[in-house]
């Protein structure tokens, strides 16, 4: 949702693809979200790495564990197999964990670990979580005096520790700030 560079790793291509398919649902309301998906990237393919280097945001899948040692390629690294994630040092200020991050991450990890082939609960859950965040931000918009509505960062400080930064980054990505 925040227009970041997300890398997912798994030994299992099936598990990797299953999880990558779910990530765009966090921004389902944006029509172009599928353009940012890179389902499988090889660290040995220089053209694919160059594409990542020039992209502002993406979700990319890898099955080479060496990707974790390449933080210049990601803001957020998710190990699907161990259900752990790492925030790159350069992106730490944008990813200070808050209750919203933990809620979404736990939901995704539970879904990734599920053996169910029914994707509807995952889709519905992610769409609902995304819509709740957008509705919260929309309710906080105010007039800037020119008739334009926007979300001010200072109006988000009451959301809790680190939630203000998270929500403001989403507001920026959604064009609400």
């Amino acid at each position: 949702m925040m227009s970041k560079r997300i890398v997912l790793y798994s030994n299992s291509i099936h598990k990797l693809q299953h999880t990558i398919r779910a990530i765009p649902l966090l921004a389902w309301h944006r029509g172009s979200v599928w353009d940012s998906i890179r389902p499988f990237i090889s660290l040995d393919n220089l053209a694919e790495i160059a594409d990542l280097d020039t992209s502002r945001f993406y979700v990319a899948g890898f099955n080479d564990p060496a990707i974790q040692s390449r933080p210049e390629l990601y803001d957020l690294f998710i190990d699907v197999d161990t259900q752990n994630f790492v925030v790159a040092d350069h992106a730490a200020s944008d990813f200070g964990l808050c209750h919203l991050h933990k809620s979404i991450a736990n939901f995704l990890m539970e879904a990734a670990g599920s053996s169910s082939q029914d994707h509807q609960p995952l889709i519905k859950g992610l769409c609902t979580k995304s819509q709740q965040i957008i509705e919260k931000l929309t309710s906080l918009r105010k007039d800037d005096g020119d008739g334009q509505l926007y979300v001010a960062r200072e109006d988000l400080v009451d959301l809790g520790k680190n939630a203000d930064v998270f929500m403001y980054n989403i507001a920026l990505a959604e064009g609400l700030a």
Side-chain angles (χ1 to χ4, degrees):
M1 286 185 76
M2 294 176 16
S3 298
K4 298 295 181 186
R5 299 172 310 144
I6 301 170
V7 163
L8 288 93
Y9 161 78
S10 178
N11 270 333
S12 165
I13 297 293
H14 175 74
K15 203 180 221 186
L16 182 64
Q17 299 304 297
H18 178 75
T19 306
I20 284 178
R21 177 121 172 91
I23 298 293
L25 297 173
L26 291 168
W28 61 271
H29 52 283
R30 291 187 208 147
S32 63
V33 71
W34 292 103
D35 296 338
S36 65
I37 302 302
R38 311 300 193 274
F40 183 74
I41 301 287
S42 170
L43 282 174
D44 297 328
N45 187 319
L46 298 179
E48 291 176 340
I49 299 302
D51 173 54
L52 295 181
D53 284 336
T54 59
S55 299
R56 289 186 319 116
F57 57 90
Y58 51 80
V59 176
F62 291 82
N63 74 339
D64 183 344
I67 185 60
Q68 188 171 0
S69 65
R70 301 280 308 269
E72 73 277 8
L73 293 176
Y74 62 83
D75 300 318
L76 177 64
F77 170 85
I78 300 171
D79 186 326
V80 177
D81 297 333
T82 64
Q83 299 185 356
N84 289 311
F85 60 92
V86 174
V87 175
D89 289 342
H90 65 266
S93 63
D94 287 339
F95 284 97
L97 288 181
C98 67
H99 60 90
L100 295 168
H101 286 105
K102 291 175 186 173
S103 171
I104 293 168
N106 286 336
F107 180 78
L108 285 173
M109 293 304 171
E110 286 173 15
S114 171
S115 61
S116 172
Q117 295 299 316
D118 182 10
H119 300 298
Q120 290 305 311
L122 173 65
I123 293 168
K124 185 176 181 179
L126 287 175
C127 290
T128 299
K129 286 182 181 300
S130 296
Q131 190 60 36
Q132 289 169 343
I133 290 170
I134 300 293
E135 287 172 1
K136 176 68 174 176
L137 287 169
T138 301
S139 74
L140 294 172
R141 291 187 303 173
K142 60 184 179 183
D143 192 327
D144 68 358
D146 294 336
Q148 297 290 328
L149 296 177
Y150 72 100
V151 175
R153 187 168 185 168
E154 58 270 12
D155 292 337
L156 302 173
V157 294
D158 294 334
L159 295 178
K161 184 178 181 196
N162 297 324
D164 59 333
V165 175
F166 177 64
M167 293 291 277
Y168 189 69
N169 281 326
I170 292 173
L172 286 171
E174 296 297 327
L176 299 172

